[in-house]
Amino acid sequence: MINVYSIAKSGMNAYQEKMDYIANDLANVSTTGYKSNDIGFKDLYTETLDRKGTPLYDKTAVNGTGVRTGMNYSKNIQGNLLNTGGQTEFAIDGEGYFAAYMGDGSIAYTRDGNFKVDANGTLVDSSGNKIVIQYADGVSEGNPELVSSKLSVNQNGEIFMKDEENTINIGRIPVFTAIGDKSFLPIGNSYFVPAEDAQIEESTDFDIIQGMLEGSNVDSTEAFTDMITSQRAFQMNSKALTVADDLWGMINSMR
Amino acid sequence: MIRGLYTSISGLITLQHEQETVTNNIANINNNGYKKSALTKKSFEDVMLSNRQKLVGDKYVRNNIGTLNLGVKTDDVKNIFTQGVFKATQMQTDFAIDGRGFFVAQNGDNYVYTRDGNFKINNAGYLITSDGNQVLGRNTQTNAIEPIYIGKNKFSLDGQNNIDIEGMGITDQLLTADFEDYDAMEFIGDNFITSQPPLFDADVKVKQFVLEGSNVNATEELTKLMEIKRNFETNQKLIKMQDEIIDKAATQIGRV
């Protein structure tokens, strides 16, 4: 009897958690480079009905004890490319992430290509962290200072800057990738860090597109449908909890 | 009189178990590949009632009055293997089985079986269940059962369940299993089942870019829930009534 509360509770918890993920997806429906969540469910262990005083014919009969949410994965699906026309805005069409130096010197990865040129003439992301660039010979960070209106970037990520008459090759924006659906873990601010066992390598299957941003890959229709089914499932579980409570109430009122 | 109390109580206990079964179905209503379970009941074996009030000659002999049934018990909890609904997805690692059969995954040294085809690729490049157990395939060259290496590549599934990896060709066939006796299956949690012996050569139809939802029917389960509640109420009422009768017998008839 006590267990029937916990079965319904496990269901309510699981659907509540699912709702949290859906809400997060919907909140990020227009976040540049956002990857939506993919979260499934797992059933719990079974328990035998063969207890003392239980009238039971088949002694092997078992009941399930509820449900839990499974592991969360990011859906690695391409987001829509949105035309912005910005000289320092880039979208990755294909596999991979840009890399940026964090304040503590570590490297984080992002699909958000909304870059700017800062006061020192270096390319930074929207949080002001420097983008990893493989500079060409004779060029280094801030030398020459980048000017956003003169930049052009080709599909391989090679940066060129018009300098009066000449066009200088500044270097290349590398794009990194790794095998596995859990190789990059989101840490907030559109950044990802590699998992411990992830083998980071340079991606070959991508195009960098200047003047575009990658929209969020949240499918709002799917998110809303999921929201409705999760909410209904939550409701049904709470109904089951109420019935369990009613049964217990009846037992208590027997005498 | 006392007998009647126990009959009603057997009903209460059995209904509690049925309530657990139904609640578990409801909890798993959005669980991919979940198969609903149903609790079946059966009555106790009939017992013969007799007394010794019949006089034959100068002896009282056994006199059969008739049979009586002393209540209900749980027969078994059976899983119902009807097809769940298909949901289309955009992920190449999502699979669903149409009809009989199971996917095979490695759990420690054992094979475990599942209908939940929400697979992923781990950081070593192998196909895994969403909890990290390797999904097994059969090498098309050597026929050996092995984990399936996908890497970063795109792949597609052909009519024979072969995994055709872009740039590598067909290396493995997705291993599937079927069982003779679906009743003997043991549910071990995490959407896995075990059973013996697996039939690896059975014809199993697998679809890619699709997930199979649970086969739980919301209307059916909620109706059952209401039914259980009212049934429980009836049994509980009967216990109260019998208690009142015993009360009368003890306090009113007993009064001199």
Side-chain angles (χ1 to χ4, degrees):
Chain A
M1 197 64 215
I2 294 173
N3 208 23
V4 81
Y5 280 103
S6 67
I7 298 173
K9 193 181 80 184
S10 80
M12 289 170 78
N13 275 339
Y15 293 113
Q16 170 79 63
E17 205 173 311
K18 171 91 178 174
M19 283 294 274
D20 290 347
Y21 282 105
I22 296 168
N24 191 45
D25 280 353
L26 281 172
N28 285 291
V29 75
S30 53
T31 304
T32 309
Y34 179 79
K35 296 294 169 204
S36 61
N37 290 303
D38 183 10
I39 184 148
F41 297 100
K42 296 283 174 188
D43 57 8
L44 299 183
Y45 297 122
T46 54
E47 63 164 3
T48 177
L49 293 186
D50 189 12
R51 295 171 213 149
K52 204 169 180 189
T54 301
L56 180 65
Y57 174 72
D58 185 340
K59 300 290 182 200
T60 62
V62 291
N63 255 343
T65 56
V67 71
R68 66 177 172 86
T69 47
M71 227 184 253
N72 174 37
Y73 287 84
S74 293
K75 262 189 201 163
N76 208 359
I77 299 174
Q78 178 74 41
N80 293 335
L81 298 181
L82 311 169
N83 200 344
T84 60
Q87 292 287 91
T88 55
E89 292 177 346
F90 308 102
I92 299 175
D93 183 9
E95 282 279 321
Y97 296 81
F98 298 114
Y101 296 107
M102 298 288 97
D104 61 359
S106 66
I107 288 180
Y109 298 86
T110 182
R111 294 276 292 190
D112 179 0
N114 183 14
F115 300 154
K116 304 273 181 288
V117 173
D118 71 1
N120 305 325
T122 54
L123 196 61
V124 295
D125 65 15
S126 50
S127 310
N129 292 317
K130 276 179 217 153
I131 300 301
V132 174
I133 298 175
Q134 290 163 347
Y135 288 99
D137 290 344
V139 182
S140 63
E141 192 182 305
N143 173 38
E145 287 187 13
L146 302 181
V147 179
S148 57
S149 59
K150 291 179 181 169
L151 286 181
S152 69
V153 171
N154 70 12
Q155 293 199 331
N156 300 324
E158 286 159 348
I159 313 169
F160 298 96
M161 190 166 74
K162 277 199 214 105
D163 182 21
E164 290 151 17
E165 297 298 295
N166 311 321
T167 304
I168 317 167
N169 181 0
I170 301 288
R172 203 169 70 84
I173 305 175
V175 170
F176 298 94
T177 185
I179 291 175
D181 287 328
K182 241 187 172 2
S183 48
F184 287 96
L185 310 171
I187 54 165
N189 277 337
S190 300
Y191 289 124
F192 294 80
V193 290
E196 266 176 32
D197 56 346
Q199 302 291 323
I200 303 288
E201 57 187 23
E202 282 209 31
S203 175
T204 50
D205 177 22
F206 72 94
D207 287 329
I208 287 186
I209 301 168
Q210 192 179 15
M212 286 206 175
L213 286 175
E214 185 189 9
S216 150
N217 74 345
V218 176
D219 179 346
S220 49
T221 322
E222 195 192 333
F224 272 109
T225 322
D226 278 1
M227 193 168 81
I228 292 167
T229 52
S230 300
Q231 197 215 332
R232 289 295 174 204
F234 183 86
Q235 207 172 3
M236 283 180 69
N237 276 284
S238 76
K239 193 102 214 165
L241 187 66
T242 315
V243 171
D245 190 48
D246 287 347
L247 297 194
W248 201 328
M250 284 181 220
I251 293 172
N252 284 348
S253 68
M254 266 199 292
R255 179 83 223 154
Chain B
M1 188 51 53
I2 308 290
R3 218 184 263 147
L5 273 177
Y6 288 114
T7 306
S8 299
I9 288 170
S10 77
L12 292 184
I13 296 175
T14 308
L15 284 166
Q16 277 180 21
H17 285 159
E18 193 176 13
Q19 153 81 354
E20 275 178 24
T21 311
V22 172
T23 307
N24 189 50
N25 286 341
I26 290 175
N28 284 285
I29 193 164
N30 281 356
N31 188 358
N32 291 328
Y34 176 79
K35 297 296 169 200
K36 66 182 170 188
S37 48
L39 183 139
T40 53
K41 291 171 236 169
K42 70 194 271 182
S43 58
F44 279 143
E45 288 73 26
D46 284 354
V47 291
M48 178 62 76
L49 288 186
S50 62
N51 62 18
R52 286 185 176 271
Q53 292 174 350
K54 190 175 173 188
L55 196 59
V56 175
D58 57 353
K59 268 191 190 142
Y60 287 107
V61 295
R62 184 186 164 94
N63 177 30
N64 287 343
I65 299 166
T67 58
L68 179 71
N69 196 289
L70 291 177
V72 64
K73 61 182 165 184
T74 307
D75 178 19
D76 195 4
V77 180
K78 280 203 163 47
N79 282 85
I80 312 226
F81 285 90
T82 54
Q83 180 69 48
V85 288
F86 288 125
K87 288 184 288 191
T89 75
Q90 294 168 292
M91 310 289 288
Q92 64 170 356
T93 48
D94 283 343
F95 298 97
I97 293 175
D98 187 1
R100 289 173 71 102
F102 291 86
F103 300 108
V104 187
Q106 181 104 36
N107 186 11
D109 291 337
N110 304 319
Y111 291 161
V112 287
Y113 310 93
T114 183
R115 295 275 298 193
D116 176 10
N118 181 16
F119 296 150
K120 302 287 168 194
I121 291 168
N122 71 7
N123 294 348
Y126 289 95
L127 195 65
I128 52 167
T129 66
S130 56
D131 266 4
N133 299 87
Q134 281 174 333
V135 178
L136 297 175
R138 197 189 279 279
N139 192 307
T140 45
Q141 306 285 317
T142 63
N143 241 2
I145 293 174
E146 59 176 20
I148 303 168
Y149 183 81
I150 305 277
K152 255 189 331 170
N153 307 303
K154 291 193 170 63
F155 68 94
S156 61
L157 197 75
D158 73 7
Q160 276 75 49
N161 300 345
N162 292 316
I163 290 179
D164 190 351
I165 302 172
E166 213 174 82
M168 288 165 74
I170 293 173
T171 53
D172 286 285
Q173 184 191 28
L174 191 65
L175 189 65
T176 52
D178 200 0
F179 300 94
E180 292 265 340
D181 182 10
Y182 272 41
D183 285 343
M185 275 174 196
E186 199 184 324
F187 287 74
I188 54 173
D190 298 339
N191 294 355
F192 288 131
I193 62 137
T194 59
S195 194
Q196 293 292 336
L199 310 169
F200 287 131
D201 305 321
D203 182 21
V204 174
K205 286 189 204 70
V206 182
K207 297 177 174 191
Q208 196 186 5
F209 293 104
V210 179
L211 285 173
E212 185 191 4
S214 84
N215 67 348
V216 179
N217 180 333
T219 321
E220 186 191 327
E221 300 302 327
L222 276 181
T223 316
K224 267 196 209 164
L225 214 55
M226 287 154 69
E227 202 181 310
I228 290 167
K229 185 179 160 184
R230 292 301 169 197
N231 243 321
F232 196 89
E233 208 171 4
T234 310
N235 275 295
Q236 182 251 14
K237 273 245 150 68
L238 276 167
I239 289 180
K240 266 191 170 168
M241 280 163 61
Q242 291 170 84
D243 185 41
E244 278 165 26
I245 295 170
I246 297 170
D247 180 57
K248 282 209 166 67
T251 61
Q252 293 178 21
I253 301 177
R255 193 182 298 148
V256 185

